[in-house]
Amino acid sequence: MNITVFGAGYVGLVQAAVFAEAGHRVQCVDIDAAKVRALNEGQIPIFEPDLPGLVARNLREGRLSFTADVAAGVNLAEVLFIAVGTPSNEDGSADQSHVASVAKSIGTHMSAPRIVVIKSTVPVGTNEMVRDIIAGAMREAGREIGFDVASNPEFLREGAAVDDCTKPDRIIIGTTSKHTEDVLRALYAPFNRSHDKLIVMDPRSAELTKYAANAMLATRISFMNEIAGLADRLGADVELIRKGIGADPRIGYAFLYPGIGFGGSCFPKDVRALIRMAGLAGDEPLILNAVQQRNALQKHMLVDKIARYFGGDLKDKTFALWGLAFKPKTNDMREAPALHIMEALWAAGATVRAYDPEAMDECARHYGPRDDLRLVASRDAALDGADALIIATEWKVFQSPDFAAIKGKLKRPVIFDGRNIFDPAYVAAQGIDYFAIGRGLRPAD
């Protein structure tokens, strides 16, 4: 098929490359001309495993291209995907302005029947809004052309997005049109071979399914963070608790890892948007409010432990920080716990020496030059002159360090581990004080 994807951000770029890899002719449209030029030269603006090779191969073989020409994108393809961002408004609702803008452009330029597919994460009712905007733009242009709008939410994990696209666990299609269902079944056939993963439902249910999925995962994280806080107070080990409850097949192990809160471009934004949707619908989302409140508290928990350890005085202290991205295998720092940690330390008069395998440039872009931030070339360089080590992201490169070197370099042999990547007893046996999440207080032996 000929496919156009509007939006060369995280979702749009990955989906466009994967469709092209399956043999379709794909054009990705973005209004950022500089980004378009860079993408056509094979320069990828995000870190995502396997994506650069996928984009380069399909550019070279002519199945994938990038353009800022909206009209060309509308008229190239039979199927048009909307994959633009929906960031949070100040009231927590999802900003649909980019979706509305694409819908208006489609209606303005459409010259033949099209199937419009909403891939963006959007509030319930957006399918109808997009349909109305396209129809209105066509009326203004003096045209009447048949079209349909389907909802097809994405379920990509940053760091595994290519895999999630090529081997999805489910493909949600929100449509009441048999023709649209048949077209999308054919489009997704290469990714739907071992068993039928395609689930068809009405558009409103499809839109809410996306939010419900992310809210459920966020709930599991916040629940375990709450249990971790209780474990700290009662002298239990949350890692043992995690294994004990995860062994129950009704619960499972996924998303039961306590830490310093969830971040990224999806969970915080989507929980806020769902809370806002519930309020507008006249419902009080008790659980979602608690999930959000626990996550906000969790992001300050490690700094509170640090402040207590140093007697409340962090002024002129220097902290080594391992990890900036909100999770491994990405350079995304949106709402990353590391941001909250650094800003709290700075507010207390401390300096940070930070290292991340992929997010250094993003951190420099986010903060610019600061006297109290040093971005260093390696995990070990971050330790130089530091009073303590903080771990904010569980990159594999951090998980087997030389503890003797850590102890030798730090002014105070202490680790504050926000991701529970070490065994407390082992670290304490190395003569290092170790504070994690829900694992009790483990001073050095």
Side-chain angles (χ1 to χ4, degrees), residues 205-288:
S205 295
E207 290 165 338
L208 188 52
T209 294
K210 166 63 178 182
Y211 281 104
N214 278 356
M216 173 59 81
L217 298 175
T219 299
R220 287 172 68 98
I221 295 170
S222 281
F223 174 80
M224 283 307 295
N225 282 334
E226 188 142 310
I227 295 298
L230 190 58
D232 260 345
R233 293 177 185 276
L234 298 179
D237 188 338
V238 75
E239 284 299 301
L240 300 177
I241 297 165
R242 177 184 66 80
K243 293 174 184 176
I245 66 175
D248 185 332
R250 297 169 301 174
I251 298 173
Y253 294 101
F255 287 84
L256 289 187
Y257 290 89
I260 43 178
F262 55 79
S265 63
C266 295
F267 287 7
K269 170 180 75 73
D270 292 351
V271 169
R272 285 193 296 266
L274 194 51
I275 289 171
R276 179 64 176 168
M277 271 187 272
L280 292 174
D283 190 27
E284 186 177 359
L286 300 176
I287 293 174
L288 294 175

Side-chain angles (χ1 to χ4, degrees), residues 228 231-233 235-238 305 424 434-442:
D232 260 345
R233 293 177 185 276
D237 188 338
V238 75
K305 292 187 177 191
Y434 181 70
F435 301 91
I437 306 298
R439 309 204 71 179
L441 304 181
R442 295 296 181 103

Side-chain angles (χ1 to χ4, degrees), residues 80-378:
L80 312 176
F81 280 84
I82 299 177
V84 293
T86 52
S88 288
N89 287 314
E90 288 186 7
D91 63 1
S93 62
D95 180 357
Q96 300 180 76
S97 60
H98 302 302
V99 174
S101 177
V102 173
K104 185 168 184 180
S105 295
I106 290 171
T108 300
H109 298 293
M110 194 167 69
S111 58
R114 296 286 183 262
I115 294 173
V116 178
V117 183
I118 304 172
K119 178 66 74 173
S120 303
T121 300
V122 293
V124 175
T126 300
N127 185 290
E128 297 150 40
M129 180 196 81
V130 166
R131 192 181 299 270
D132 289 345
I133 290 172
I134 293 173
M138 281 199 295
R139 282 195 301 272
E140 289 178 10
R143 292 194 303 276
E144 187 173 340
I145 302 167
F147 70 96
D148 192 30
V149 180
S151 296
N152 174 218
E154 54 85 16
F155 297 96
L156 306 184
R157 298 167 298 164
E158 291 194 41
V162 172
D163 236 22
D164 289 341
C165 259
T166 55
K167 294 175 279 189
D169 47 21
R170 79 280 213 195
I171 302 164
I172 303 293
I173 303 295
T175 184
T176 56
S177 163
K178 184 63 168 62
H179 171 68
T180 296
E181 178 187 337
D182 290 344
V183 170
L184 293 180
R185 278 190 180 278
L187 176 60
Y188 278 110
F191 318 109
N192 193 35
R193 298 186 67 184
S194 62
H195 63 279
D196 191 4
K197 307 168 189 174
L198 202 142
I199 304 170
V200 181
M201 57 185 72
D202 64 277
R204 282 181 169 253
S205 295
E207 290 165 338
L208 188 52
T209 294
K210 166 63 178 182
Y211 281 104
N214 278 356
M216 173 59 81
L217 298 175
T219 299
R220 287 172 68 98
I221 295 170
S222 281
F223 174 80
M224 283 307 295
N225 282 334
E226 188 142 310
I227 295 298
L230 190 58
D232 260 345
R233 293 177 185 276
L234 298 179
D237 188 338
V238 75
E239 284 299 301
L240 300 177
I241 297 165
R242 177 184 66 80
K243 293 174 184 176
I245 66 175
D248 185 332
R250 297 169 301 174
I251 298 173
Y253 294 101
F255 287 84
L256 289 187
Y257 290 89
I260 43 178
F262 55 79
S265 63
C266 295
F267 287 7
K269 170 180 75 73
D270 292 351
V271 169
R272 285 193 296 266
L274 194 51
I275 289 171
R276 179 64 176 168
M277 271 187 272
L280 292 174
D283 190 27
E284 186 177 359
L286 300 176
I287 293 174
L288 294 175
N289 281 328
V291 167
Q292 183 172 251
Q293 183 180 7
R294 166 49 59 190
N295 196 56
L297 291 171
Q298 204 69 21
K299 290 186 177 182
H300 298 285
M301 181 171 287
L302 209 59
V303 175
D304 291 343
K305 292 187 177 191
I306 295 167
R308 285 196 298 271
Y309 183 85
F310 285 98
D313 182 13
L314 303 182
K315 185 174 174 58
D316 298 326
K317 296 286 190 299
T318 298
F319 293 91
L321 178 63
W322 285 2
L324 294 165
F326 84 95
K327 61 180 283 190
K329 298 184 180 180
T330 181
N331 62 346
D332 194 344
M333 290 185 63
R334 284 174 287 184
E335 304 204 37
L339 300 176
H340 296 264
I341 290 170
M342 287 191 290
E343 289 165 14
L345 293 174
W346 293 333
T351 296
V352 175
R353 293 178 60 83
Y355 172 72
D356 187 284
E358 295 296 339
M360 303 289 275
D361 289 344
E362 179 60 22
C363 187
R365 185 200 64 78
H366 185 87
Y367 285 118
R370 296 183 59 111
D371 291 339
D372 49 12
L373 173 63
R374 301 285 186 275
L375 297 174
V376 299
S378 69

Side-chain angles (χ1 to χ4, degrees), residues 320-323 353-357 360 376-384 389 395-403 405-406 409-410 422:
L321 178 63
W322 285 2
R353 293 178 60 83
Y355 172 72
D356 187 284
M360 303 289 275
V376 299
S378 69
R379 68 177 193 185
D380 295 335
L383 301 169
D384 293 337
L389 169 61
W395 286 96
K396 286 193 181 299
V397 71
F398 301 152
Q399 295 184 25
S400 299
D402 181 341
F403 287 104
I406 291 175
K409 286 195 170 192
L410 293 177
F422 301 137

